[in-house]
């Protein structure tokens, strides 16, 4: 972990210390301001889902040997590592030679946070110092709990036990508890409505403990605090305190976790910054796992605003998880979405979001039901885990029936909101159409897998018909692009203000373009047709899903690879306003470009996205490029890993065929590259690529790896050394000998 440590001296918005059970969110200056818009002003502090435990904590320092030091301290440096983070306090301490370092660790096997302050005297003479540490509770539920009437937020009350140096607090309306233990008994302690440098909102109660000590010359002394809570019982909170204070080597435990995570899908490319971001996105994704027993364990969408479970976000992210080798997490996340969808909807519709209290605020947008079916099929092809398919097939059948029922006019296009949730624009959207077509194909394959030949034939026909309808009706020949929506002129006109984002102010250029687009339509006002409304990033979804014919794909991908769509940090959310970029828009475009052979374009997009790394806070890429929105976002794993693993290196496991298909398409900037220990079904595969004159070589090895099929482009031939190869249509097929290396030389005529 030390080799990945990042440091900044510049204040940044947020810092995160995370385990599956605890998320401690502060500023990189060490303070805890009220912030957040879901639960207004409550999204920071210490969260142990489904509740918040603490608003924060603060340290006051006084050096008796200095004449002007008595202050609530402010960090002037911040360090971020995969398993922990730290704050440095030097210049803000005044005329003293004492420095303070604050270290935070969130163990995996002991829910909570271990907080340590290290006071070091750099003077040869003794220094008499006084320290006050203040923590404030805010026992508060996950978003939507109060608005839905699920619970009420009560007043916290607390008590101090001097015998054990333990503070406990309880919300007076709920079984919510906070618990703090001081490893070193304080000289004095107080409980009440006490505040430090920040007066935070909420109905909390505070603990203040004071220490007076003499630091000898060169001496360092540590003050350690154990912080935890429970949304169930006071006994559980005390048990968690005992675990935190047990003396177990939690740092080594974290090290082992991240060593294992980073060992899978290791990337080596000529661009060191790209490789650094690659490793950190693995770590960021791990930070977003939320275990909110008894409500579930799964990957959440983002910190700090979306620390709960989403259908849309996870159906993207699961593709990244599979490419990382995180099969177990992918399975748990899919199962959680399936179980809550059955509980909440019961009709096959896949939920949009589930809070960590198990509450649903949105039963699901159209696109995510289709996306879920495809995510299941991807999971099966990567893992060969038939059990999840058998568990979820009853839901999948209902999901496809529900999706088909959203086609209320028989044109094969489902209605409803897609990924772009523009108020009122619940029409037949391109992403929902493309993902529905894709889902019919995946559903047909799932039916084949489970032996339902009749349903397979029906699904296969609907797949072909939906693809054909999309490629006919949703194609704008003049623009060389797919359309945003299939709707009537009257409907689109009625959504003018929402589409143009008028609530954010006027954009005359966008308004003129919109009105000109409407004026070009020569069909009756109530007749549905394809509308290229504002060039949403979702125009890439037919190519992302691999459903566009080559000729249309070439034109559409060239159309979207222009300054109208691509800005400094990636792909605009829409080309009409060009005022926002997300990692998902950039990632989906990179997948589409790489899938159709444009690896150079894909890499350029990813480099734009990666250039935002650390701009909001060290070690992370923000949801909104370059530096706002959630500072840590799950679907960035999809955006980075899917195009590189599946389409640039071309690793595509196919459990149904008991093989891994390789379709490498390497960018010019990577004449040599390797991807090591990629999980494929029950085995691992390592690939080293080297460009040669008129071709390339692949050096392959693996453990328990299924058969490999290398697809060749027209005019290519392959010579395989180290394994017996069989020519198949469009390529060669061979098996890696256990523990041996195979070399494949591909030549182009």
């Amino acid at each position: 972990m030390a080799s990945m440590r990042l440091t900044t001296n510049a204040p940044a918005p947020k810092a995160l210390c995370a385990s599956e059970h605890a998320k401690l969110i502060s500023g990189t200056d060490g303070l805890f301001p009220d912030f957040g818009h879901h639960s207004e002003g409550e999204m920071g502090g210490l969260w142990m889902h489904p509740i918040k435990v603490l608003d924060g904590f603060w340290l006051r320092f006084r050096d008796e040997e200095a004449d002007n030091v008595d202050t609530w301290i402010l960090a002037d440096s911040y360090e971020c590592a995969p398993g922990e983070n730290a704050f440095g306090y030097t210049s803000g301490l005044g005329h003293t030679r004492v420095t303070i370092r604050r270290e935070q660790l969130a163990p995996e096997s002991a829910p909570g946070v271990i907080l340590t302050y290290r006071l070091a005297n750099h003077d040869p003479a003794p220094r008499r110092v006084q320290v006050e540490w203040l923590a404030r509770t805010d026992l508060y539920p996950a978003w939507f709990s109060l608005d839905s009437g699920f619970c009420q937020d009560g007043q916290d009350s607390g008590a101090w036990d001097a015998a054990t140096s333990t503070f406990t607090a309880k919300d007076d309306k709920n079984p919510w508890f906070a618990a703090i233990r001081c490893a070193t008994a304080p000289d004095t302690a107080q409980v009440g409505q006490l505040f430090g440098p920040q007066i935070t909102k909420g109905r909390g109660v505070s603990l203040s403990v004071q220490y007076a000590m003499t630091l000898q010359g060169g001496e360092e002394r540590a003050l350690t605090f154990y912080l935890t809570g429970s949304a169930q019982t006071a006994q559980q909170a005390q048990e968690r305190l005992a675990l935190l204070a047990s003396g177990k080597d939690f740092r080594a435990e974290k090290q082992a976790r991240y060593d294992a995570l980073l060992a899978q899908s290791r990337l080596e490319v000529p661009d060191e910054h790209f490789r650094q971001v690659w490793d950190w996105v693995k770590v960021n994704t791990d930070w977003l796992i939320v275990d909110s027993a008894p409500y579930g364990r799964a990957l959440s969408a983002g910190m700090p605003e979306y620390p709960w479970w989403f259908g849309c976000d996870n159906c993207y992210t699961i593709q990244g998880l599979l490419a990382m080798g995180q099969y177990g997490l992918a399975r748990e996340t899919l199962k959680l979405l399936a179980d809550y969808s059955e509980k909440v909807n019961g009709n096959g519709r896949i939920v949009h979001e589930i809070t960590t209290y198990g509450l649903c605020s949105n039963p699901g947008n159209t696109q995510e039901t289709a996306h879920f079916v495809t995510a299941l099929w991807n999971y099966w092809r990567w893992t060969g885990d038939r059990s999840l398919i058998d568990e979820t097939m009853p839901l999948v059948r209902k999901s496809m029936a529900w999706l088909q029922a959203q086609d209320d006019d028989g044109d094969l296009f489902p209605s409803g909101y897609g990924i772009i949730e523009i108020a009122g624009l619940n029409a037949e959207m391109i992403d929902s159409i493309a993902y529905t077509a894709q889902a019919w194909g995946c559903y047909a394959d799932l039916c084949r897998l489970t032996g339902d030949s009749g349903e397979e034939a029906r699904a296969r026909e609907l797949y072909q018909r939906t693809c054909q309808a999309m490629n006919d009706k949703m194609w704008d020949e003049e623009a060389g692009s797919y359309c945003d929506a299939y709707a009537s002129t009257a409907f689109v006109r009625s959504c003018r203000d929402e589409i143009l984002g008028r609530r954010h102010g006027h954009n005359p250029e966008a308004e003129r373009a919109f009105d000109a687009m409407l004026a070009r339509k020569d069909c009756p006002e109530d007749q549905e047709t394809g509308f290229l409304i504002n060039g949403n990033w979702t125009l890439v979804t037919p190519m992302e899903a691999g459903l566009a014919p080559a000729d249309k794909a070439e034109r559409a991908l060239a159309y979207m690879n222009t300054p109208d769509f691509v800005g400094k940090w990636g792909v605009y959310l829409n080309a009409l306003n060009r005022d926002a970029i997300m990692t998902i828009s950039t990632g989906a475009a990179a997948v589409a470009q790489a899938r159709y052979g444009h690896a150079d374009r894909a890499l350029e997009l990813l480099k734009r996205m990666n250039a935002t790394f650390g701009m909001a806070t060290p070690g992370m890429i923000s949801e909104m490029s370059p530096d706002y929105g959630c500072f840590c976002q799950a679907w960035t794993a999809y955006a980075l890993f899917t195009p590189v693993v599946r389409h640039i290196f071309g690793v595509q496991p196919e459990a149904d065929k008991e093989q891994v298909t390789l379709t490498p398409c390497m960018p010019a900037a990577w004449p040599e590259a390797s991807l090591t220990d990629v999980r494929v079904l029950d085995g691992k595969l390592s690939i080293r690529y080297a460009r040669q004159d008129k071709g390339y070589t692949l050096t392959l090895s693996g453990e328990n790896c299924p058969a490999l099929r290398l697809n060749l482009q027209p005019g290519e031939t392959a010579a395989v050394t180290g394994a017996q190869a069989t020519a198949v249509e469009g390529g060669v097929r061979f098996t890696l000998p256990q523990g041996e290396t195979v070399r494949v030389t591909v030549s182009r005529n």
Side-chain angles (χ1 to χ4, degrees):
M1 288 190 289
S3 62
M4 290 182 67
R5 191 174 297 273
L6 299 173
T7 304
T8 181
N9 294 319
K14 303 293 179 293
L16 174 66
C17 179
S19 70
E20 295 187 13
H21 309 278
K23 313 293 181 187
L24 178 61
I25 303 170
S26 69
T28 56
D29 58 5
L31 298 182
F32 292 89
D34 289 335
F35 72 89
H37 67 265
H38 276 86
S39 295
E40 187 175 354
E42 296 284 8
M43 301 306 291
L46 175 59
W47 280 87
M48 298 184 67
H49 286 276
I51 62 166
K52 182 176 180 177
V53 176
L54 299 176
D55 260 346
F57 45 80
W58 302 265
L59 193 76
R60 186 171 183 170
F61 172 81
R62 176 176 176 80
D63 184 344
E64 297 288 353
E65 312 300 331
D67 58 5
N68 66 340
V69 178
D70 186 356
T71 183
W72 293 100
I73 62 176
L74 188 72
D76 47 25
S77 67
Y78 169 70
E79 296 177 9
C80 176
E84 58 191 330
N85 53 16
F87 302 80
Y89 304 84
T90 54
S91 60
L93 301 182
H95 299 153
T96 180
R97 297 200 63 193
V98 175
T99 61
I100 300 176
R101 177 180 172 85
R102 169 176 136 197
E103 298 174 351
Q104 300 176 163
L105 178 72
E108 295 300 335
S109 60
V113 170
I114 300 174
L115 173 68
T116 300
Y117 293 89
R118 300 190 184 279
L119 290 79
N121 179 14
H122 301 277
D123 195 313
R127 312 289 294 196
R128 292 177 301 151
V129 301
Q130 293 184 12
V131 171
E132 176 186 2
W133 183 75
L134 186 146
R136 183 163 179 82
T137 71
D138 189 2
L139 293 163
Y140 187 89
W143 171 75
F144 195 62
S145 305
L146 300 180
D147 293 342
S148 66
F150 178 74
C151 60
Q152 294 180 312
D153 180 29
Q155 176 64 50
D156 300 351
S157 59
W160 171 254
D161 182 350
T164 60
S165 297
T166 299
F167 167 78
T168 56
K170 181 186 183 300
D171 181 283
D172 67 4
K173 293 184 178 179
N174 305 278
W176 303 336
F177 303 89
I180 298 172
R181 181 170 298 166
C182 307
T184 301
D187 298 316
T188 60
Q190 292 177 276
V191 174
Q193 293 304 315
L194 312 170
F195 291 92
Q198 297 172 296
I199 300 177
T200 58
K201 66 181 296 184
R203 300 181 176 183
V205 64
S206 301
L207 166 70
S208 169
V209 292
Q210 298 84 37
Y211 298 87
M213 64 185 78
T214 298
L215 296 173
Q216 299 300 322
E219 181 185 3
E220 178 181 285
R221 192 173 301 186
L223 294 175
T224 297
F225 304 92
Y226 305 106
L227 319 175
T228 192
S230 171
Q232 297 180 50
T233 65
Q235 180 180 350
Q236 184 183 64
Q238 293 302 315
E239 290 170 351
R240 289 175 170 178
L241 267 189
L243 284 172
L244 289 168
S246 65
K248 182 178 179 180
D249 191 347
F250 295 115
R251 183 168 280 103
E253 181 183 67
K254 281 280 196 180
Q255 181 75 57
R257 179 187 182 96
Y258 288 111
D259 284 348
L261 178 66
L262 295 168
Q264 296 184 123
S265 297
R266 297 195 308 276
L267 180 70
E268 293 294 336
V269 293
D271 185 339
E272 177 58 25
H273 181 259
F274 196 101
R275 190 208 58 75
Q276 179 189 41
V277 175
W278 182 267
D279 285 348
W280 273 101
V281 169
K282 293 181 187 179
V283 172
N284 297 164
T285 306
D286 187 74
W287 287 346
L288 292 172
I289 301 171
V290 173
D291 188 339
S292 181
Y295 302 99
R297 175 189 184 268
L299 191 67
S300 66
M303 293 291 166
E305 288 292 349
Y306 297 101
W308 47 84
W309 306 305
F310 283 75
C312 172
D313 300 58
N314 274 319
C315 288
Y316 281 112
T317 309
I318 281 163
Q319 298 179 60
L321 291 180
L322 295 171
M324 287 181 189
Q326 298 299 297
Y327 289 1
L329 180 58
R331 190 189 201 283
E332 281 188 271
T333 301
L334 284 166
K335 188 66 166 60
L336 180 142
L337 292 174
D339 290 347
Y340 273 110
S341 295
E342 284 281 61
K343 179 181 177 181
V344 171
N345 294 323
N347 59 357
R349 185 180 188 177
I350 300 301
V351 292
H352 178 64
E353 59 188 317
I354 293 292
T355 77
T356 50
Y357 247 134
L359 304 174
C360 178
S361 67
N362 179 342
N365 297 330
T366 302
Q367 148 268 333
E368 47 211 326
T369 293
H371 219 173
F372 176 79
V373 175
T374 299
L376 276 173
W377 175 241
N378 280 326
Y379 173 80
W380 151 250
R381 281 169 60 104
W382 272 87
T383 68
D385 176 11
R386 173 69 182 270
S387 64
L388 182 62
I389 303 303
D390 291 338
E391 288 179 49
T392 55
M393 271 306 285
L395 170 64
V396 169
R397 291 188 177 91
K398 289 193 289 186
S399 293
M400 295 310 298
W402 180 86
L403 197 59
Q404 191 170 19
Q406 306 318 299
D407 174 19
D408 50 13
D409 56 5
D411 61 5
L412 299 172
F413 300 162
S415 299
Y417 287 109
I419 304 165
I420 305 295
E421 297 171 297
I422 298 174
L425 194 60
N426 54 342
E428 297 171 340
M429 307 301 294
I430 184 60
D431 52 313
S432 294
I433 294 168
Y435 290 153
T436 294
Q438 186 181 35
W440 280 121
C442 293
Y443 178 52
D445 288 333
L446 289 170
C447 289
R448 173 172 53 82
L449 176 67
T450 54
D452 191 342
S453 58
E455 188 70 352
E456 178 195 354
R458 186 181 78 88
R460 197 79 66 194
E461 179 190 3
L462 283 165
Y463 164 73
Q464 293 167 351
R465 288 174 58 203
T466 307
C467 286
Q468 187 65 51
M470 179 188 72
N471 284 308
D472 289 345
K473 297 179 181 179
M474 292 297 288
W475 178 253
D476 187 318
E477 179 62 25
E478 180 181 352
S481 171
Y482 287 91
C483 297
D484 293 290
Y486 196 71
S488 69
T489 303
F491 179 83
V492 173
R493 194 187 308 278
S494 72
C495 298
R496 184 178 189 276
D497 286 353
E498 288 80 6
I499 292 169
L500 290 171
R502 287 280 289 274
R503 63 189 181 279
H504 301 304
H506 288 274
N507 181 337
E509 182 182 351
E511 292 174 7
R512 285 192 295 271
F514 183 88
D515 293 338
M517 178 270 298
L518 283 179
R520 286 195 298 270
K521 293 294 180 182
D522 58 2
C523 57
E525 282 274 311
D526 61 350
Q527 179 179 320
E528 288 191 326
T529 186
F531 274 90
L532 186 54
I533 299 173
N534 59 346
N536 287 313
W537 68 268
T538 51
L539 295 179
V540 303
T541 54
M543 286 74 70
E544 180 212 4
L547 305 178
D551 57 340
K552 285 183 168 62
E554 285 303 302
R555 292 188 65 194
L557 291 171
Y559 173 74
M560 295 195 70
N561 194 50
T562 65
D564 285 344
F565 287 89
V566 181
K568 182 176 182 179
W569 311 112
V571 175
Y572 296 117
L573 295 189
N574 71 71
L576 199 59
N577 289 307
R578 282 176 265 172
D579 59 354
I581 292 170
M582 278 186 171
T583 58
I584 188 60
S585 56
T586 303
V591 169
Q593 295 286 0
R595 187 164 200 155
Y596 283 83
H598 297 291
D600 290 341
R601 292 180 188 171
L603 180 58
E604 176 59 28
L605 291 172
L606 295 178
K607 288 171 70 175
R608 289 173 188 258
M609 180 182 79
N610 288 358
T612 69
F613 177 71
M615 290 183 69
T617 199
M620 305 180 216
I621 291 179
S622 295
E623 169 199 18
M624 303 293 296
S625 304
D627 57 2
Y628 64 107
C630 285
F631 57 78
C632 188
Q633 186 73 21
W635 60 28
T636 303
Y638 159 84
L640 186 59
F641 278 74
T642 304
V644 172
V645 175
R646 287 187 60 183
H647 301 295
I648 289 179
F649 280 89
V651 179
Q652 299 183 34
E654 299 175 281
D656 51 319
K657 299 177 182 177
E658 298 183 347
Q659 71 178 21
V660 178
T661 295
L662 300 178
T663 57
C665 181
M666 205 63 61
W670 293 356
E672 294 186 355
S674 67
L675 188 64
T676 308
D677 289 334
V678 184
R679 283 187 77 181
V680 286
L681 304 179
D682 292 327
K684 294 190 295 186
L685 172 66
S686 295
I687 306 170
R688 181 170 294 279
Y689 169 94
R691 186 175 300 127
Q692 307 292 338
D693 184 36
K694 295 185 178 180
Y696 61 90
T697 62
L698 296 178
T699 304
L700 305 164
S701 59
E703 297 178 17
N704 198 33
C705 184
L708 300 179
R709 175 197 167 108
L710 174 64
N711 283 347
L712 299 173
Q713 298 299 316
E716 291 182 339
T717 58
V720 179
T721 304
Q724 185 69 40
T726 303
V728 294
E729 184 178 356
V732 293
R733 194 172 192 269
F734 54 93
T735 300
L736 294 178
Q738 195 76 9
E740 301 293 329
T741 296
V742 172
R743 183 182 176 90
V744 182
T745 301
V746 176
S747 303
R748 298 190 183 95
N749 296 330

